[in-house]
Amino acid sequence: MDCDEETPSSSNAIEDKIEYEAFKSPVCLIVLGMAGSGKTTFVSKLNSYLKQYKRAPYLINLDPACKNMPYTPNIDIRDSVKYKQVMKNYGLGPNGAIVTSLNLYTTKFHQLMDLLGKVNDENSHDIAVIDTPGQIEVFTWSASGQILTESLASTFPTIVVYVMDLERSTSPITFMSNMLYACSVLYKTKLPFIVVLNKCDIVDPTYAIEWMHDFETFCDALENESSYMSNLTRTMALTLDEFYNELKCVPVSSFTGHNFDEFFKMVDVAADEFQKEYRVEWDKLRKEKLQTEISQLNKKLDDLAVSSGKGEHVPLFTSISAGREISDIYLAPNADEMSGDSEGEEVPGFNVNGKYSFNYFK
């Protein structure tokens, strides 16, 4: 059987294996949000809730600058990358060092994927939670965010959880800034998306829900704003109207644990959505990537077959100064023309084939 006949069957076997493993894989929750929105506190309460009512989650911390960790992660970026050392070595500020630390960490991200694969094999956890830093630009334009989301989504059911601070978003302009970030992350990752309206124990979440579903109510709130930003915000609200229609949002309290049961109902729905809709697209992208790698490998093999192991002729000299012949360079001079050489003495030199040899002169 030749290679062309073997490839399809091998490809089908790999696809069947991937499909079986993906069905049993833990659901990965990538927790994003602005700095101070309560992501780490949310992950901590989520961990407590799951331990009490279900199975403990597999926790991954990707914030290299976090000092006080309210939970014990299974994988911690701080064990691999020293944030302050990155600042010192590369002469970076705090934000730049966090982004660089994640970029460095993603060079070994395949090892994290291997550990998650063991979780799948042992069937020890139903959910894996990835806590991220507040520098949300990591997931809007940095390569590390794209590598992280694509690596997870190509193997495991993956959901993006965007944590929004209700207390800091009571201003329509701030609220719109948050929604624009959420929208950019949604279209960048192309994954099931849940907006968590955090701190509902402090601020009533009704205003945020109304602003998302009623454009007129949002415009009324903007009447008190007289700056140029209010006009821009009003225009953006019209643009995001379709985004709001398909958005899943749930108010929760990371302090009291309020509404976490509703959150996990949304997680179940989003996981099913991933398997039925998103996974088809990710499988397609994965096949295209695999096909590209196979094509590149076949091209290298073809190039090797054509060359047959023969090297190219490389001249020792590419140019000769004026007044000299090629024989003056490749052929050794006579003995009487060499100062300090006695008759019949062995003199090293190069032959016309460019190999090291000895010439004898009498």
Side-chain angles (χ1 to χ4, degrees), residues 15-35:
E15 289 175 8
D16 292 341
K17 183 174 183 293
I18 290 172
E19 181 176 358
Y20 175 74
E21 290 180 348
F23 183 75
K24 291 183 61 179
S25 296
V27 176
C28 295
L29 305 181
I30 304 177
V31 181
L32 308 179
M34 304 294 288

Side-chain angles (χ1 to χ4, degrees), residues 88-281:
K88 180 179 178 181
N89 291 348
Y90 295 95
L92 300 171
N95 290 343
I98 289 175
V99 175
T100 303
S101 296
L102 273 171
N103 290 340
L104 293 171
Y105 193 71
T106 50
T107 61
K108 302 294 183 181
F109 199 72
H110 62 280
Q111 297 179 8
L112 186 148
M113 295 297 294
D114 291 340
L115 293 174
L116 281 176
K118 292 181 180 179
V119 172
N120 175 34
D121 295 337
E122 298 170 358
N123 195 22
S124 55
H125 301 271
D126 297 324
I127 292 178
V129 184
I130 298 92
D131 191 6
T132 63
Q135 281 65 24
I136 202 168
E137 58 268 21
V138 170
F139 292 89
T140 54
W141 57 263
S142 178
S144 56
Q146 184 175 356
I147 292 172
L148 188 150
T149 54
E150 289 185 357
S151 298
L152 290 172
S154 62
T155 309
F156 307 103
T158 306
I159 301 168
V160 175
V161 179
Y162 186 87
V163 180
M164 175 179 157
D165 187 349
L166 283 172
E167 185 182 14
R168 296 183 180 180
S169 301
T170 53
S171 165
I173 295 176
T174 306
F175 175 84
M176 182 52 58
S177 298
N178 249 310
M179 289 296 101
L180 286 173
Y181 268 118
C183 182
S184 63
V185 172
L186 170 64
Y187 290 114
K188 178 75 172 179
T189 59
K190 299 178 182 177
L191 290 170
F193 200 83
I194 300 174
V195 174
V196 170
L197 305 176
N198 197 22
K199 305 181 183 179
C200 70
D201 56 314
I202 301 176
V203 178
D204 188 349
T206 304
Y207 80 89
I209 297 173
E210 288 181 351
W211 286 355
M212 283 188 283
H213 295 100
D214 191 340
F215 175 73
E216 295 299 330
T217 302
F218 183 76
C219 289
D220 291 341
L222 276 173
E223 292 298 326
N224 297 326
E225 302 286 343
S226 57
S227 63
Y228 170 76
M229 285 297 296
S230 62
N231 295 327
L232 178 62
T233 302
R234 186 177 289 103
T235 304
M236 290 295 100
L238 279 172
T239 306
L240 294 182
D241 188 53
E242 184 178 352
F243 168 69
Y244 291 145
N245 290 334
E246 302 295 330
L247 191 63
K248 301 181 184 69
C249 65
V250 54
V252 303
S253 170
S254 297
F255 181 72
T256 65
H258 172 70
N259 234 16
F260 266 69
D261 53 344
E262 290 297 323
F263 168 74
F264 280 106
K265 288 179 182 178
M266 286 193 174
V267 169
D268 292 338
V269 172
D272 291 338
E273 183 182 352
F274 178 90
Q275 294 286 7
K276 295 176 181 177
E277 300 178 16
Y278 289 84
R279 187 178 160 196
V280 175
E281 184 65 24

Side-chain angles (χ1 to χ4, degrees), residues 80-98:
S80 304
V81 182
K82 304 302 178 185
Y83 162 71
K84 291 186 177 180
Q85 196 64 35
V86 171
M87 289 181 64
K88 180 179 178 181
N89 291 348
Y90 295 95
L92 300 171
N95 290 343
I98 289 175

